[in-house]
Amino acid sequence: MWLAGATVIDGTGADPVPGQAVLLENGRIAAVGGSPPAGADVVDLSGMVLTPGLIDAHVHLGLSSDLDRMSTTRQLSVAELAADMFDNCRQTLESGFTTVRDTGGVDQGIAHVVETGKVPGPRVIHCGPILAQTGGHGYLGADWDSAEDWAARQIPGLLATSLLSDGPDQVRHNAREAFRRGATFLKMCVTGGVVSRHDKLSDTQFTHDEIAAAVSEATARGTYVTVHAHNNEGLRTAIEAGAKCVEHGTAVDEEMAALLAERGVALVPTLSVVYALKEDSTAAGLPAHIGDRVGNAIEGQTAAIHHARAAGVLIGSGSDYVGPKQQHRGLELVLRSEIETPMQALVSATRDNARVLRIDGEVGTIEPGKIADLTVFGADPLADPPVFDQPDQVKVVLQRGRIVKDVR
């Protein structure tokens, strides 16, 4: 396949190249530039902008339904939960996101049906269920539910939000269980969270030994632990125990950014969900007061991005949407464009996210040898960043060299 006529933004931060052609063979990028070989299938992208397929490094496909109806009151059937998840997968792909990292809620079942083509969606890299302490962030049951009742709500092959883990031995057991379910990394919640009913953002969760147990299990499988963290006390404990990525990082200051850089810890800010919850948390099926819990998460993450960038930290990009309205993953790039530049927002959501996910040898940039996961915009998002969040401007999406959306 010969993609011709587009302005190519290759995801490395290099200047866009107008009229750059790209040759695809056997699902991979074979060449950038040159002339089409005889018999090539020519796809005319004149006037459009070609980028690497976007990557969202923080999603919750398993939380695609009204959270109150699915978790607290348990009003939704398995069929409805699955339908919402499948629809979320489709919307994500059609918005130009060809890879996502699911940070809690699904297991290998969803990844498999997408990978085999039974359901349209992005490549799904996941941690299986979150490791959460009793009473900590990641538990969404009602106040009167027991831990046993929460565990019984798992739907093997579809949904498992979190495993309650107390003490190093139970953490180790649940880490192994997450890997058994197809996880390729682990996630722990080491502070309180915004979408919580039983903690505060200032709470710290899990001890050094508990986190170290998970890190040991991840290391044994050649992978890593990422941690949900809104305060630096919990984050520092996690870093000392060996965690290699932090989600949110609301309190990251100059000192913490230096520690992240020293220890090789990546940062994945998640601005979109904060804006969404502050505007109307009930749209996700959450109580209205959840919006009040956002606090300074917007300003904090904005400052964290600047501190981390100055320190040389690898910074990814994640939306963290929960609930039924997850159509605007591109908003994260719009918000990041306002904090840094549109080019840096795009690089974070392509090359740098691929590095965070440890798949940068396969995707994230437009270079020969990479998998041909590509997104084509009808207008230039670098000149007009809101284009990132306009799914109708995503004219073509290619997945492994195959066109899966074409509305030119």
Side-chain angles (χ1 to χ4, degrees):
M1 185 181 295
W2 184 253
L3 308 180
T7 294
V8 174
I9 307 174
D10 67 9
T12 68
D15 290 339
V17 180
Q20 179 84 290
V22 179
L23 175 64
L24 312 182
E25 291 180 350
N26 300 317
R28 290 185 180 265
I29 298 168
V32 179
S35 302
D41 177 13
V42 178
V43 178
D44 184 9
L45 301 178
S46 297
M48 301 182 186
V49 175
L50 175 65
T51 74
L54 302 179
I55 302 171
D56 191 331
H58 192 125
V59 308
H60 293 289
L61 297 175
L63 305 178
S64 299
S65 307
D66 182 291
L67 295 185
D68 182 62
R69 296 182 67 208
M70 72 177 287
S71 297
T72 307
T73 59
R74 304 174 69 176
Q75 298 178 31
L76 301 181
S77 68
V78 173
E80 189 164 355
L81 292 171
D84 288 344
M85 293 164 72
F86 296 159
D87 190 49
N88 194 355
C89 286
R90 177 190 58 77
Q91 289 178 355
T92 297
L93 181 63
E94 292 183 355
S95 296
F97 289 85
T98 54
T99 299
V100 300
R101 183 181 64 156
D102 193 290
T103 53
V106 303
D107 61 18
Q108 192 61 22
I110 285 291
H112 179 71
V113 295
V114 172
E115 183 180 3
T116 56
K118 292 183 177 180
V119 173
R123 174 186 297 102
V124 180
I125 294 170
H126 67 91
C127 65
I130 297 167
L131 304 185
Q133 72 174 37
T134 295
H137 184 65
Y139 173 77
L140 297 175
D143 294 348
W144 52 86
D145 285 338
S146 66
E148 292 74 17
D149 182 69
W150 179 247
R153 296 189 187 190
Q154 300 176 48
I155 305 170
L158 184 71
L159 176 64
T161 306
S162 61
L163 297 176
L164 300 185
S165 310
D166 298 304
D169 288 344
Q170 193 173 32
V171 167
R172 189 177 300 277
H173 174 273
N174 287 340
R176 292 173 178 176
E177 175 64 14
F179 283 123
R180 186 189 71 80
R181 298 184 191 186
T184 56
F185 67 100
L186 297 175
K187 180 187 175 187
M188 303 184 79
C189 299
V190 301
T191 75
V194 174
V195 183
S196 291
R197 292 183 170 90
H198 311 282
D199 60 31
K200 304 182 296 296
L201 294 185
S202 57
D203 289 355
T204 61
Q205 299 176 4
F206 283 120
T207 64
H208 178 281
D209 289 348
E210 288 172 320
I211 300 168
V215 169
S216 174
E217 290 301 315
T219 301
R221 291 164 177 79
T223 188
Y224 66 98
V225 172
T226 190
V227 295
H228 156 106
H230 281 293
N231 67 64
N232 285 345
E233 289 75 17
L235 177 54
R236 188 177 301 276
T237 299
I239 293 172
E240 295 294 340
K244 287 300 180 183
C245 186
V246 54
E247 314 297 312
H248 319 304
T250 303
V252 169
D253 53 17
E254 187 174 353
E255 179 184 357
M256 179 55 68
L259 180 61
L260 295 179
E262 176 189 337
R263 299 295 180 88
V265 179
L267 170 66
V268 178
T270 56
L271 297 164
S272 297
V273 68
V274 180
Y275 276 83
L277 293 176
K278 196 167 186 177
E279 182 176 338
D280 181 13
S281 60
T282 64
L286 291 164
H289 70 79
I290 290 292
D292 298 332
R293 292 174 59 93
V294 169
N296 71 338
I298 295 173
E299 297 80 5
Q301 290 191 62
T302 299
I305 290 167
H306 290 307
H307 290 309
R309 186 68 70 195
V313 175
L314 174 62
I315 307 176
S317 175
S319 66
D320 193 21
Y321 281 122
V322 294
K325 295 184 178 180
Q326 300 192 26
Q327 301 96 326
H328 290 283
R329 299 194 184 283
L331 177 61
E332 192 68 24
L333 283 82
V334 178
L335 297 173
R336 287 288 293 277
S337 296
E338 296 172 357
I339 295 171
E340 299 190 284
T341 67
M343 177 64 86
Q344 188 58 67
L346 180 62
V347 171
S348 288
T350 52
R351 182 195 68 184
D352 291 352
N353 263 352
R355 290 175 175 175
V356 171
L357 275 56
R358 303 187 178 189
I359 56 172
D360 50 302
E362 294 286 272
V363 298
T365 56
I366 299 178
E367 298 177 277
K370 295 289 182 74
I371 293 172
D373 287 354
L374 303 166
T375 298
V376 181
F377 293 94
D380 183 0
L382 300 188
D384 185 17
V387 168
F388 281 128
D389 191 34
Q390 296 171 5
D392 60 336
Q393 284 286 4
V394 177
K395 301 300 183 181
V396 180
V397 178
L398 294 100
Q399 198 172 37
R400 294 188 176 273
R402 183 173 63 90
I403 294 177
V404 293
K405 177 183 179 181
D406 187 354
V407 293
R408 287 175 292 167

